[in-house]
Amino acid sequence: VSWAAWAQDELDAVRSEGRWRQPRDFDATGPTGSLDGRREVVSFASNDYLGLSAHPAVKAAATQALERWGTGSGSARLIVGSRPVHTELETELATWKNTEAAVLFSTGYAANLGTIGTLARAGGTILSDELNHASIIDGCRLSRARVGIYRHRDMDHLDQLLGETLGPAVVVTDSVFSMDGDVAPLEELAQRCAIRGALLVIDEAHGVLGPEIAAVDGVEVLRVGTLSKTLGSLGGFVAGSLSICQLVINRARSYIFTTAATPADSAAALAALRVLRSPEGDQLIDRLRRHVGRLVPGHPSPIIPVMIGDQGAALTAAADLLDRGLFVPAIRPPTVAPGTSRLRVTLSAGHLDGHVGRLLDALAELRLPLPGHAALAT
Ligand SMILES: Cc1ncc(COP(=O)(O)O)c(C=O)c1O
């Protein structure tokens, strides 16, 4: 059997499981644009939470970097790929995260892979929340460390696993879980880690509205982040103590063996970070919070799951919304567990009040349940 024929058989299986997926072209800046060249839609699918990818200052910074340094950086950071903008961005990321240092990666995915791999110590164990992002799961696997999975947000289970751990322990969690939009109990996690002497690694990729970790005595924290969501660009980073960051530079394979981020992407992220930390950033966050509150009062993140269950029903619900000009992706296995297919709504400060109103009306009309409401669909 040829490889192409084998691939075709595999694809047939994917299709028959109802799991076929392919990219769709969205011709847009911000949440409105043309989908597949066929229809105008409002997207509720992007992680550009503050709309900064379209901010004039961010675009101007990318353009200037392009003019000054050209397109690609040409090699890895440790060879000749490092530009002043990379270092400047690292310095400001560390200031923002209130850490001694930060290290830039070319994606958030690479940041998790490299950071977790670096922390695998002889005889050590990594404890990971069961709903952590795929990049954390892959980082754990690649690290070849012993890995324990604790039940989602279950501190007693974590405690039990920590109690069974003999050597050095690392606890890793998303701060906001990417498919559920709920948040980790950071305070409690920090306290458990402090008692057990474990290092706490927090992936804050979706943490635009918090939660923020407060300083807890006796716990070391590493903060992983991405430039591709709130900061509207591309790249990732880890922020923490100088010694761990320097070890990452010297050990993390996904840092060492890959080309440095493009200067334009890094310059865009740096400009976006400056907007975020300015009064304008506060206004954008307020606006995003207001949108979130209209869908689910008090919800802690811009990710709002509309739970459906059956994957076919989730696809039908997404298609019904698309008929109304609203693009909300259906999330189904293997991204989420079987029987928990859902629509994943993400909100942005870039949405207009009218966009959010249209979504609310359509969800009500289709009897699709927002969190906190009983399932209405029959
Ligand atoms: C929680 C989390 N961590 C890491 C990543 C990876 O970030 P990036 O897209 O920058 O590779 C993502 C999303 O893609 C994510 O949701």
Side-chain angles (χ1 to χ4, degrees):
V1 177
S2 75
W3 285 101
W6 166 80
Q8 198 51 57
D9 285 349
E10 292 292 309
L11 286 173
D12 290 346
V14 171
R15 270 188 206 279
S16 68
E17 289 163 1
R19 292 183 180 181
W20 173 264
R21 297 189 287 186
Q22 67 178 22
R24 314 185 68 166
D25 288 342
F26 186 43
D27 191 352
T29 317
T32 54
S34 159
L35 189 64
D36 294 334
R38 279 205 305 257
R39 62 193 327 155
E40 291 302 308
V41 299
V42 183
S43 148
F44 292 92
S46 168
N47 303 313
D48 183 11
Y49 295 125
L50 298 183
L52 290 178
S53 71
H55 191 287
V58 175
K59 292 200 289 186
T63 307
Q64 282 162 17
L66 201 61
E67 290 302 330
R68 179 166 171 191
W69 291 296
T71 50
S73 47
S75 92
R77 287 294 296 287
L78 289 176
I79 311 296
V80 75
S82 198
R83 302 285 173 274
V85 68
H86 295 132
T87 310
E88 205 178 342
L89 176 56
E90 287 174 329
T91 304
E92 293 203 22
L93 287 168
T95 306
W96 178 41
K97 293 294 174 183
N98 199 18
T99 57
E100 283 177 359
V103 183
L104 199 56
F105 285 81
S106 34
T107 62
Y109 186 96
N112 270 327
L113 242 52
T115 301
I116 296 170
T118 300
L119 299 173
R121 283 169 63 175
T125 302
I126 302 172
L127 298 173
S128 173
D129 187 290
E130 68 177 328
L131 292 191
N132 276 342
H133 187 255
S135 54
I136 295 179
I137 297 171
D138 292 355
C140 290
R141 287 179 183 158
L142 264 181
S143 75
R144 290 191 248 165
R146 204 173 316 129
V147 177
I149 308 296
Y150 60 91
R151 286 188 292 273
H152 183 48
R153 302 174 76 249
D154 185 335
M155 294 298 99
D156 291 336
H157 192 208
L158 171 63
D159 245 358
Q160 180 198 324
L161 296 184
L162 276 170
E164 292 164 5
T165 299
L166 295 177
V170 175
V171 175
V172 56
T173 185
D174 285 350
S175 72
V176 173
F177 292 90
S178 52
M179 294 300 138
D180 292 74
D182 58 344
V183 299
L186 294 184
E187 244 31 39
E188 273 192 75
L189 277 161
Q191 282 158 11
R192 313 277 161 142
C193 287
I195 292 167
R196 306 279 183 172
L199 174 71
L200 179 57
V201 181
I202 308 171
D203 177 347
E204 299 177 308
H206 299 280
V208 57
L209 301 180
E212 275 295 315
I213 177 123
V216 170
D217 277 347
V219 65
E220 287 180 65
V221 177
L222 274 187
R223 306 174 73 168
V224 176
T226 174
L227 312 178
S228 66
K229 303 184 195 299
T230 305
L231 296 177
S233 180
L234 185 68
F237 66 92
V238 58
S241 68
L242 183 60
S243 59
I244 293 189
C245 286
Q246 287 181 338
L247 190 64
V248 163
I249 290 172
N250 283 278
R251 291 258 174 89
R253 295 169 66 81
S254 62
Y255 173 88
I256 298 169
F257 297 107
T258 194
T259 300
T262 72
D265 282 328
S266 298
L270 181 57
L273 181 58
R274 289 174 178 164
V275 174
L276 173 66
R277 301 181 71 211
S278 74
E280 186 185 355
D282 295 339
Q283 286 164 13
L284 291 171
I285 286 173
D286 283 350
R287 187 176 163 70
L288 175 60
R289 223 185 273 285
R290 224 180 39 244
H291 288 336
V292 170
R294 284 183 69 192
L295 259 70
V296 186
H299 188 74
S301 80
I303 302 168
I304 301 179
V306 175
M307 297 305 292
I308 310 265
D310 175 68
Q311 61 176 343
L315 287 172
T316 303
D320 289 343
L321 287 170
L322 202 53
D323 283 344
R324 289 157 177 78
L326 304 169
F327 180 44
V328 183
I331 308 291
R332 50 217 163 97
T335 306
V336 293
T340 70
S341 291
R342 66 199 65 181
L343 300 176
R344 177 178 183 264
V345 174
T346 53
L347 292 168
S348 166
H351 284 119
L352 303 176
D353 291 344
H355 296 150
V356 180
R358 275 178 63 191
L359 177 65
L360 276 167
D361 290 347
L363 291 173
E365 188 193 336
L366 294 166
R367 302 172 68 77
L368 294 168
L370 283 162
H373 293 72
L376 295 173
T378 47

